[in-house]
Amino acid sequence: MNPYLLKRLALSAVTLWLVTVVVFTLVRVLPGDAVVAASAQSPGEGALTRTEIDAGRAVLGLDRPLIVQYGEWFWELITLDAGDSFVTGSSVWSEMRPRLSVTLELALVALLITVVGGTTFGILSASMEGRKFDVVVRSVSLLAASIPQFWIALLLVVVMASWWGYFIPVEYRSIWDDPARNAQQILIPAMILAIRPLALLTRVMRSSSIEVLGNDYIRAARARGLLNRDVLFRHVLKNALIPSLTVLAAQSVFLLGGAVVIESVFNLPGVGRGLVQAISFRDYPIIQFITLLMGLGAVCINLCIDLLYGAIDPRIKLARSDNGS
Amino acid sequence: MRNFGLILLSLMIFVVLIACSDSENSGPASGTSGIPVSKSSPATSTTAPETPGGPRYGGNLRIAQPGDPVSCDLAMSRGTGYQSVHPCNPMLSQIVRSSPTDHSIITGDLAEDWSLSEDGRTWKFKVRPDALWHDGSQVTADDLKFSIDRVINPPEGLFAGRAAPIAGYVSTTDQVVAVSDETLTITTDFPAASFITNLANVYVSVFPKTITEQLDPPSMILHEQVVGSGPFKFNSATRGSFYEMVKNEDYYEPNRPYLDSITFLVMPSPAVRVAALKTGEADIVMLLTEPEAESLAGESDRIRLIREPSAGGNTVQMNLSKAPFNDPRVRRAVNLAFSRSDAMLALGGGFNGAIMPPGGPWALDTDEVLTLPGYGDDEAERARARELLANAGYPDGLAVQMHTRSDPFSTSLAEFAVAQLRKVGINAKLIPLERTAYAEFVSSGEHTLISHSHSFSLDDPDAILPAHYACGGEENYPGLCDPEIDRLIEAQARELDPDDRKKLVDEIQRLVWSTDAKIWFNWSVRRTPVSTKVMNFNPGGPSLYQGRRFESVWLTE
């Protein structure tokens, strides 16, 4: 195996282990635990006595030393068992599996919109630098990158309901059960989720494309009589992609995080909402699983982007091989 | 004068609400022992339809709420509020229940009849023969015993929540006997006036013994796990999205339910819930704030807004063991700082009351309430408050911290409280805490002053007083521990004469009020917007929890 890849994999494993330590520690720093949280769900009634809290903690194993709790959880992870939810008693995996498919679908559609929209608008804007289209794209992308997503999402729901009497269907159906309904439920939230990454990618793509467009080989290509479309998508796109990939990596991780808010507004039963609920209930196994999963996602995305750099620009690959050997 | 006008207005609203309620069955009957055994037959437990055309069968009722149900095992879960009760109760039954149209009436449920022994201790329940679990098996007295036993002696890791008062009457499971498949007897430790009322609490739900025992833990926590005997049965659910139940064709009440199905929609954002109501995506939205309710003003042709007493309200509570609130003069000053009429104005209405829900059978007489400290002339009381603070050593006022939950509802109430306290020179710094952090903080006893809301599931002295005002009560956040109050709480539970019991409860209210430990500054109004196509949706009383089985609700289209 490529030594560079091996080194990156080893670093990723260390990163993930650190994530487990940080996540495990942080959730326990939060005041209260699952036993107290259960009695806090209904305002005004149902508080537990200290005796009941202690008994509840003993049943959940929260009275044991932290190192023992961590060791048990870590061993479960190694054996691919994420434990059971403190709230429902079901296995974490069975709780999260349906949620994962919702969030992945949402994030993938948003990513698709980001990549297609961001590269197209960026390149076109660069090719029309200083013209009306460019001014509009720059202004809109600046605005889109500045406005909070939850605000746009809430506004859209209220406007659609008030002006057109339309409400996105609530009962979630998977793409396999009811593709048409699923499209109604996913497309608009994915578009909202993609607004900020799309705006950022557009701006980065535009600036890197302008830089590439000024190179001699582009002038040479045009002198050879190549169509503008061919110049943009065969020569400019590939060379402008490297800086955009860095932005795309960061924004892909952001998509996972942004899903937390978007899922709540659009009533999508995804991982993001699951995380919010789990934090509220101090459901440690679920919180740990989701944050670890997001950490894993971030590590994988960054690893993939690093490998993509090499695939797009062989000089980067060569440099790594030289350093690695 | 303005205050008087507001008080008069609130009284008029209250009188209208009372007049609108079903007064025909409001008086509890007494059994031979003197214990109220009021009941109506199961067949009359539902109301007549609201339109002359009669009820219509079919349709899907859609109700929006902010979150998922925490647990459908209502008997075994602390803190399960209406978001658990409403989506789960339609699948469940009880031994006896509060009438859905008038919560003060106890009606048969799985028990078609019951009687009380001469000594007032042994209750005999006759299990209805036509009651079936959703899997088709027969409901037996064994199931009823199992359900009461687990409240008295909860399985490991589970806690009897709001069902817990039952264990205060029946201390051992030996006192619950399944005499035969059709007969159950429960012997209380003492003749208890409120036993049957607490047994009728929605939280004392009945679960099938065999199926529940096979679960690990033995508790129907998840919606899809529920095998009940209620009018609706589980159909499908996606956690975080929706919970759907369909009509139980074998339901024991004749010709019920009317609806084909009920769907509970999970919508965390209040703006989204209101939007869903406006577009017809939801037929009912539970609990709105006043500004949200006002946003529906132009929709009166499609949405009617039900405003009713909420059996709950808003308080500030002081830790009696911590300075400066260990000084009764400071506590009295806090009480006098609040203008109840300002509270009604700022919080969208409300009711005047002492420590039991106003409008209910245990409320202190309204005339007397208006003579309590805190209900007098605002300016005179605030002048007196400043005087008390000066006498207590705080002539220039004092600075304190006030903790509350960080949700918008709680913080808006706390902000009102802070503004009221400032008027007498008490500068309270508001510290909102996340829900669980707040619960941990309060349970640790570290608090000095909190702004806290209560919503009672049952308007009954035994369900409210011991937990909130007795020494060591789990909701007794001020740490009140007065032997005389404890004695009276114990005495009222054993007093069988309704009038004498009411006098004892009134005495407790006066005593507790005089401690100024928990200041009720506003008994609140609940706002429930309902689509005009929903008929027979009658909460039947101030509790947000009772009578929510929806078997008599029907849709016009």
Side-chain angles (χ1 to χ4, degrees):
Chain A
M1 189 184 276
N2 185 329
Y4 173 74
L5 186 61
L6 268 179
K7 189 178 166 187
R8 285 305 309 263
L9 284 174
L11 274 174
S12 299
V14 173
T15 307
L16 284 174
W17 174 73
L18 284 172
V19 168
T20 66
V21 175
V22 171
V23 166
F24 181 87
T25 311
L26 279 183
V27 293
R28 280 160 179 81
V29 168
L30 291 172
D33 54 28
V35 184
V36 175
S39 71
Q41 298 308 311
S42 172
E45 264 196 287
L48 294 174
T49 61
R50 293 311 302 186
T51 315
E52 287 172 322
I53 289 173
D54 292 342
R57 283 176 178 159
V59 168
L60 294 177
L62 296 172
D63 58 340
R64 294 173 302 164
L66 284 181
I67 189 72
V68 175
Q69 293 180 47
Y70 176 77
E72 187 182 85
W73 176 55
F74 195 71
W75 176 250
E76 283 176 348
L77 283 179
I78 290 171
T79 55
L80 299 178
D81 174 10
D84 296 334
S85 160
F86 282 172
V87 177
T88 64
S90 312
S91 78
V92 169
W93 180 239
S94 71
E95 287 264 316
M96 286 298 113
R97 195 174 43 206
R99 288 185 180 274
L100 204 57
S101 65
V102 176
T103 302
L104 279 179
E105 186 187 356
L106 180 67
L108 284 175
V109 174
L111 190 65
L112 190 68
I113 293 170
T114 302
V115 171
V116 173
T119 49
T120 308
F121 285 126
I123 286 183
L124 289 178
S125 186
S127 71
M128 295 183 225
E129 188 186 358
R131 287 152 68 180
K132 272 184 185 171
F133 181 80
D134 181 39
V135 173
V136 169
V137 167
R138 274 191 294 152
S139 308
V140 171
S141 61
L142 184 65
L143 194 69
S146 314
I147 300 175
Q149 284 174 320
F150 76 89
W151 186 82
I152 301 176
L154 269 179
L155 192 71
L156 192 69
V157 169
V158 173
V159 165
M160 285 193 305
S162 303
W163 292 5
W164 306 308
Y166 177 74
F167 197 87
I168 295 172
V170 183
E171 295 108 306
Y172 178 76
R173 298 280 183 259
S174 77
I175 194 167
W176 316 115
D177 294 339
D178 191 341
R181 189 185 179 91
N182 180 267
Q184 285 185 69
Q185 293 174 316
I186 292 291
L187 271 180
I188 291 177
M191 283 161 69
I192 304 281
L193 186 61
I195 284 177
R196 188 181 142 87
L198 191 152
L200 291 173
L201 186 64
T202 299
R203 294 180 72 81
V204 171
M205 197 69 196
R206 177 187 171 277
S207 58
S208 53
S209 296
I210 286 173
E211 201 180 316
V212 173
L213 278 167
N215 286 333
D216 290 343
Y217 65 88
I218 299 294
R219 278 202 297 275
R222 284 196 166 133
R224 285 201 306 272
L226 277 179
L227 290 173
N228 191 42
R229 183 190 61 195
D230 291 339
V231 172
L232 289 178
F233 289 96
R234 281 172 57 185
H235 295 284
V236 178
L237 177 63
K238 195 171 178 183
N239 289 293
L241 263 181
I242 299 289
S244 303
L245 276 179
T246 311
V247 174
L248 199 61
Q251 292 307 308
S252 299
V253 178
F254 170 84
L255 284 177
L256 293 174
V260 172
V261 175
I262 295 299
E263 285 170 3
S264 292
V265 175
F266 290 101
N267 312 305
L268 289 168
V271 170
R273 274 189 69 191
L275 180 62
V276 173
Q277 287 177 327
I279 291 171
S280 174
F281 283 98
R282 302 291 192 270
D283 197 344
Y284 296 161
I286 300 271
I287 302 172
Q288 291 166 177
F289 180 79
I290 295 176
T291 39
L292 188 62
L293 205 64
M294 285 185 167
L296 184 67
V299 166
C300 288
I301 286 167
N302 281 303
L303 186 64
C304 289
I305 295 291
D306 271 6
L307 297 177
L308 265 179
Y309 284 150
I312 292 169
D313 188 346
R315 287 169 303 176
I316 296 173
K317 196 174 179 179
L318 188 65
R320 279 174 181 159
S321 298
D322 289 347
N323 291 340
S325 58
Chain B
M1 193 61 197
R2 190 193 64 176
N3 292 346
F4 177 75
L6 283 167
I7 290 167
L8 195 65
L9 180 65
S10 65
L11 282 173
M12 284 168 66
I13 294 170
F14 176 63
V15 168
V16 169
L17 284 166
I18 293 293
C20 291
S21 67
D22 181 7
S23 59
E24 200 175 326
N25 297 319
S26 58
S30 293
T32 50
S33 61
I35 296 176
V37 288
S38 62
K39 55 186 171 183
S40 64
S41 70
T44 59
S45 65
T46 53
T47 54
E50 291 170 357
T51 60
R56 174 183 167 273
Y57 284 89
N60 171 239
L61 179 69
R62 298 165 69 78
I63 302 171
Q65 64 176 33
D68 294 276
V70 179
S71 168
C72 280
D73 189 352
L74 303 181
M76 281 297 111
S77 39
R78 287 275 188 188
T80 49
Y82 77 92
Q83 293 185 68
S84 293
V85 172
H86 292 187
C88 299
N89 191 220
M91 297 188 286
L92 303 171
S93 303
Q94 299 146 241
I95 298 176
V96 290
R97 65 189 288 209
S98 298
S99 162
T101 53
D102 183 348
H103 297 171
S104 64
I105 302 293
I106 309 298
T107 182
D109 199 8
L110 289 175
E112 63 180 357
D113 197 13
W114 64 96
S115 59
L116 179 61
S117 64
E118 284 294 324
D119 66 358
R121 288 182 56 210
T122 302
W123 296 80
K124 188 175 178 182
F125 298 93
K126 186 169 185 296
V127 183
R128 54 190 312 159
D130 52 351
L132 301 175
W133 296 112
H134 292 161
D135 68 351
S137 58
Q138 182 76 40
V139 176
T140 66
D142 257 347
D143 297 314
L144 273 56
K145 173 178 165 53
F146 164 76
S147 302
I148 300 297
D149 282 356
R150 63 204 295 270
V151 171
I152 298 166
N153 188 16
E156 190 190 17
L158 300 174
F159 309 102
R162 291 176 177 176
I166 291 297
Y169 303 118
V170 190
S171 51
T172 67
T173 54
D174 294 342
Q175 293 163 244
V176 185
V177 181
V179 179
S180 66
D181 277 356
E182 300 84 28
T183 308
L184 176 84
T185 62
I186 303 177
T187 305
T188 56
D189 296 340
F190 55 89
S194 279
F195 172 72
I196 197 74
T197 307
N198 280 275
L199 192 68
N201 190 348
V202 69
Y203 285 93
V204 192
S205 291
V206 175
F207 295 91
K209 181 174 187 281
T210 316
I211 299 170
T212 309
E213 281 179 337
Q214 285 167 358
L215 298 171
D216 181 23
S219 177
M220 291 184 179
I221 295 168
L222 301 173
H223 206 259
E224 55 264 40
Q225 286 177 322
V226 175
V227 178
S229 49
F232 294 91
K233 54 187 180 183
F234 173 79
N235 186 47
S236 64
T238 299
R239 201 162 170 79
S241 179
F242 72 96
Y243 295 84
E244 187 182 80
M245 293 157 282
V246 293
K247 180 177 190 170
N248 172 16
E249 299 289 352
D250 297 324
Y251 184 50
Y252 44 81
E253 292 274 12
N255 306 318
R256 299 289 190 279
Y258 293 128
L259 298 166
D260 280 344
S261 58
I262 307 179
T263 307
F264 279 83
L265 308 166
V266 181
M267 298 181 180
S269 165
V272 173
R273 291 197 296 276
V274 171
L277 191 70
K278 285 182 175 175
T279 56
E281 183 68 18
D283 301 315
I284 300 173
V285 170
M286 289 299 173
L287 301 190
L288 287 189
T289 61
E290 187 62 24
E292 288 160 3
E294 283 168 5
S295 74
L296 295 169
E299 309 279 341
S300 57
D301 56 329
R302 292 190 298 116
I303 300 164
R304 67 176 190 278
L305 188 65
I306 301 173
R307 290 174 193 265
E308 59 195 333
S310 73
N314 312 306
T315 70
V316 291
Q317 303 182 34
M318 291 155 274
N319 191 334
L320 270 60
S321 65
K322 294 215 165 180
F325 300 114
N326 52 359
D327 186 332
R329 290 170 295 185
V330 177
R331 297 202 300 274
R332 176 56 55 89
V334 170
N335 190 356
L336 298 180
F338 282 92
S339 162
R340 271 64 180 177
S341 52
D342 281 0
M344 286 186 201
L345 211 57
L347 306 176
F351 303 93
N352 295 324
I355 68 165
M356 293 297 286
W362 305 101
L364 198 62
D365 181 71
T366 311
D367 289 338
E368 187 178 348
V369 167
L370 296 178
T371 66
L372 294 172
Y375 279 100
D377 176 73
D378 291 344
E379 287 315 310
E381 290 203 323
R382 282 176 180 152
R384 175 70 184 140
R386 284 187 282 269
E387 197 179 304
L388 284 166
L389 287 175
N391 292 341
Y394 305 103
D396 302 321
L398 75 157
V400 291
Q401 290 187 334
M402 178 190 278
H403 290 84
T404 194
R405 289 160 57 123
S406 58
D407 59 274
F409 174 75
S410 300
T411 48
S412 66
L413 290 168
E415 281 161 4
F416 170 79
V418 167
Q420 293 285 296
L421 293 176
R422 197 177 296 129
K423 292 187 176 182
V424 299
I426 299 174
N427 291 310
K429 184 185 174 191
L430 183 60
I431 304 176
L433 294 174
E434 183 263 345
R435 180 166 49 187
T436 303
Y438 174 76
E440 171 74 10
F441 176 72
V442 171
S443 70
S444 68
E446 291 300 310
H447 58 290
T448 50
L449 176 68
I450 56 173
S451 172
H452 194 96
S453 297
H454 289 285
S455 176
F456 298 120
S457 62
L458 207 60
D459 185 2
D460 177 78
D462 287 357
I464 295 174
L465 298 176
H468 288 258
Y469 303 106
C471 197
E474 59 267 31
E475 304 276 335
N476 183 355
Y477 300 126
L480 197 61
C481 198
D482 183 325
E484 178 60 7
I485 292 174
D486 288 359
R487 186 190 69 75
L488 287 168
I489 289 174
E490 186 71 20
Q492 66 78 29
R494 293 162 186 266
E495 178 54 62
L496 303 182
D497 182 85
D499 292 335
D500 289 345
R501 190 176 182 214
K502 175 71 169 61
K503 283 175 190 163
L504 287 169
V505 173
D506 283 355
E507 188 54 28
I508 294 166
Q509 299 203 66
R510 292 182 199 107
L511 269 175
V512 169
W513 193 270
S514 71
T515 64
D516 300 301
K518 180 186 283 194
I519 311 294
W520 289 89
F521 62 84
N522 178 253
W523 284 90
S524 50
V525 172
R526 182 168 56 245
R527 305 156 196 90
T528 313
V530 180
S531 163
T532 49
K533 72 177 185 182
V534 178
M535 308 304 287
N536 233 9
F537 175 75
N538 184 356
S543 172
L544 180 60
Y545 309 92
Q546 312 300 328
R548 303 288 175 160
R549 216 180 276 178
F550 302 107
E551 80 266 52
S552 299
V553 174
W554 55 280
L555 300 172
T556 56
E557 56 186 78

